[in-house]
Amino acid sequence: MTTTDTRAPGSRTGTDASFLGPVDLIGLDGQFSPDEKDLARSVRSLVDEHIRPNIAGWYEQAVFPREIVPELARLGLLGMHLDGYGCAGRSAVEYGLAASELEAGDSGLRTFVSVQGSLAMSALHKHGSEEQKQRWLPPMAAGEAIGCFGLTEPTAGSDPASMRTTAVEQPGGDWVLNGSKRWIGLATIADVAVIWAQTGEPGDARGVRGFVVPTNTPGFHAEAIPAKLSMRASVQCDITLTDVRLPADAVLPADSAVGLKGPFACLNEARYGIIWGVMGAARDSFEAVLRYGGERTQFGTPLTAFQLTQAKLADMALEITKGYLLALQLGRAKDAGTLDPVAISVGKLNNCREAIAIAREAREMLGGNGITGDHAPLRHANNLESVRTYEGTDEVHALVIGRALTGIGAFTASGK
Ligand code: TGC
């Protein structure tokens, strides 16, 4: 038997005005401060005004919309969690909410903010000299300079310690870099690249150092990776470095940047943003199918009146709610300075896995119409293929969690 609730979807008692929309059945809204919600709403307005009307076209034509960069800068979203140097100094929770709203628009646009802020700017902010920070951070926060972060290589993805890019110190102190990087977001449009290179013996994780490389340095070449089936409104690139000569002061000098813990500290920032971001894509997929299901009639009944549809919507809502709760727990810990990298792995693995399942389920519920660019879920699902892979695959994060649970590293057959 079908009973009808005359209230609109999402108008349940206590959640009438939840900024998270109809998915918020447990009053998550009350866990956020007015400032946090205001920030989320302004990012949502930016997405509604500048991204939603155009994203299907950008995605189809594989265009990264550079014109969006000043808008992101105007809201203070570039390096927003950093202090000083023109950065907004926002909290981790605010940063997470912004990532979530941006990714409700498209993962590629959220990735721009992550690569610029969490990777390139964080590397400079955490590990750079005062001169490096003064030179690059203010224009990067203003969107006048774009940065990229080169860690991954054609043969070194999950295992960055095996990188082959070398930096050799010359008599007189200059450095010469040779090698290649792959899957580097924004490299073709970047003004500056933070390149991680081996200064010691091959495979020596402690020999890895970071270098600040203006992309107009002779020998630096970036090329966009063509024919992607995911993150099409975003740029990922190959970089080749051929005898790139840098002055002595191009190295990131801080002790925190000596060895692989230098780039990993930046990956923690980007992984943290993903935990929130992907829940935005999941929420947008859920809302798309909730709307569609209320309008689309089959067998004389709106799809949302079918029990199987409601069961799927309920499962989606549970996972989105749990995903936001997890993100919020980690965000509050980050703001308190107590966030452990293992907890970031928990969030990244869980929320990516659930978000992609939700986006795929939403596509299925849209039927044939769901494979067109008129509906977001398949675009989200395709994008999330990249998001679940970059910044640590599911397997890497499962093994980080496994090591924390058992005390045994199982990354290699020899049990490292
Ligand atoms: P191990 O090699 O033994 O450790 C090296 C040092 O790093 C420290 N460390 C961390 N520090 C802070 N945060 C973390 N999350 C850290 N993980 C490790 C570690 O304590 C050690 O420090 P020290 O002082 O002893 O030298 O590494 P491990 O055995 O701990 O880790 C193994 C594993 C597999 C987990 C790690 O290699 C890993 O996370 N691999 C995945 C790498 C990854 O996520 N790659 C994606 C990079 S993203 C990119 O380049 C392109 S996408 C971005 C774009 O769009 O441009």
Side-chain angles (χ1 to χ4, degrees):
M1 189 182 96
T2 307
T3 57
T4 305
D5 184 337
T6 51
R7 290 170 293 197
S11 65
R12 307 283 310 172
T13 307
T15 63
D16 278 9
S18 173
F19 81 109
L20 288 170
V23 78
D24 185 9
L25 298 172
I26 64 164
L28 264 175
D29 184 272
Q31 297 299 312
F32 295 90
S33 74
D35 281 353
E36 289 166 347
K37 289 187 268 193
D38 282 351
L39 188 267
R41 287 197 179 96
S42 21
V43 180
R44 188 175 304 171
S45 298
L46 181 154
V47 169
D48 287 345
E49 190 179 339
H50 295 283
I51 297 179
R52 285 192 192 281
N54 304 307
I55 186 61
W58 292 331
Y59 191 87
E60 189 176 347
Q61 291 150 31
V63 168
F64 169 70
R66 267 197 91 144
E67 63 272 24
I68 210 83
V69 175
E71 300 299 330
L72 298 167
R74 189 175 52 78
L75 274 192
L77 302 182
L78 305 180
M80 68 183 285
H81 63 300
L82 304 175
D83 286 319
Y85 308 97
C87 303
R90 293 286 199 156
S91 72
V93 169
E94 288 171 324
Y95 171 49
L97 286 168
S100 184
E101 293 306 322
L102 286 170
E103 197 146 353
D106 191 76
S107 302
L109 279 303
R110 195 273 305 148
T111 294
F112 170 79
V113 168
S114 292
V115 171
Q116 175 87 346
S118 298
L119 293 177
M121 292 176 75
S122 279
L124 290 158
H125 198 273
K126 283 178 193 294
H127 310 309
S129 66
E130 191 54 34
E131 291 72 24
Q132 290 166 340
K133 293 181 199 184
Q134 294 286 358
R135 164 68 186 88
W136 288 109
L137 289 175
M140 290 172 85
E144 291 156 6
I146 289 178
C148 67
F149 180 92
L151 177 65
T152 298
E153 299 190 353
T155 58
S158 292
D159 179 19
S162 66
M163 71 171 62
R164 293 181 183 173
T165 297
T166 56
V168 178
E169 196 167 9
Q170 307 296 302
D174 282 3
W175 292 91
V176 173
L177 271 57
N178 279 287
S180 54
K181 298 285 173 184
R182 185 159 170 82
W183 295 119
I184 307 308
L186 312 179
T188 47
I189 58 171
D191 302 284
V192 62
V194 175
I195 298 289
W196 300 93
Q198 180 57 265
T199 63
E201 295 302 313
D204 174 13
R206 286 168 208 277
V208 171
R209 298 298 300 264
F211 294 85
V212 181
V213 185
T215 56
N216 60 5
T217 309
F220 181 99
H221 178 71
E223 202 145 318
I225 296 172
K228 286 178 296 157
L229 301 177
S230 173
M231 297 254 289
R232 289 176 58 76
S234 161
V235 198
Q236 282 74 38
C237 309
D238 282 306
I239 293 177
T240 51
L241 303 149
T242 311
D243 294 331
V244 173
R245 180 173 280 269
L246 301 169
D249 63 5
V251 71
L252 293 171
D255 287 347
S256 57
V258 177
L260 268 182
K261 66 180 188 303
F264 283 150
C266 307
L267 292 190
N268 286 341
E269 302 289 339
R271 291 168 175 175
Y272 167 77
I274 289 170
I275 294 166
W276 287 88
V278 295
M279 280 299 115
R283 198 187 75 214
D284 191 62
S285 299
F286 168 84
E287 288 180 4
V289 82
L290 183 62
R291 264 193 319 273
Y292 180 87
E295 291 160 4
R296 171 85 170 171
T297 299
Q298 290 292 281
F299 304 104
T301 316
L303 296 186
T304 45
F306 288 105
Q307 290 182 345
L308 288 176
T309 301
Q310 292 200 5
K312 289 173 185 174
L313 289 169
D315 284 344
M316 289 175 172
L318 295 187
E319 292 309 327
I320 295 168
T321 304
K322 288 190 272 181
Y324 272 111
L325 277 170
L326 178 54
L328 181 60
Q329 163 70 11
L330 302 187
R332 297 285 184 231
K334 193 169 191 316
D335 280 326
T338 58
L339 182 59
D340 187 274
V342 175
I344 297 177
S345 287
V346 171
K348 208 257 176 189
L349 175 59
N350 183 79
N351 284 11
C352 285
R353 192 155 68 185
E354 296 307 328
I356 200 166
I358 288 165
R360 286 176 180 159
E361 180 91 285
R363 197 301 301 160
E364 196 184 318
M365 293 164 74
L366 292 167
N369 290 331
I371 71 161
T372 71
D374 294 340
H375 299 274
L378 183 56
R379 175 170 50 79
H380 286 314
N382 284 351
N383 284 337
L384 291 166
E385 293 287 350
S386 298
V387 180
R388 85 182 304 177
T389 302
Y390 69 31
E391 317 296 359
T393 60
D394 285 10
E395 290 79 4
V396 160
H397 292 296
L399 292 176
V400 168
I401 295 165
R403 179 171 63 182
L405 292 172
T406 65
I408 303 167
F411 298 106
T412 68
S414 58
K416 178 187 169 248

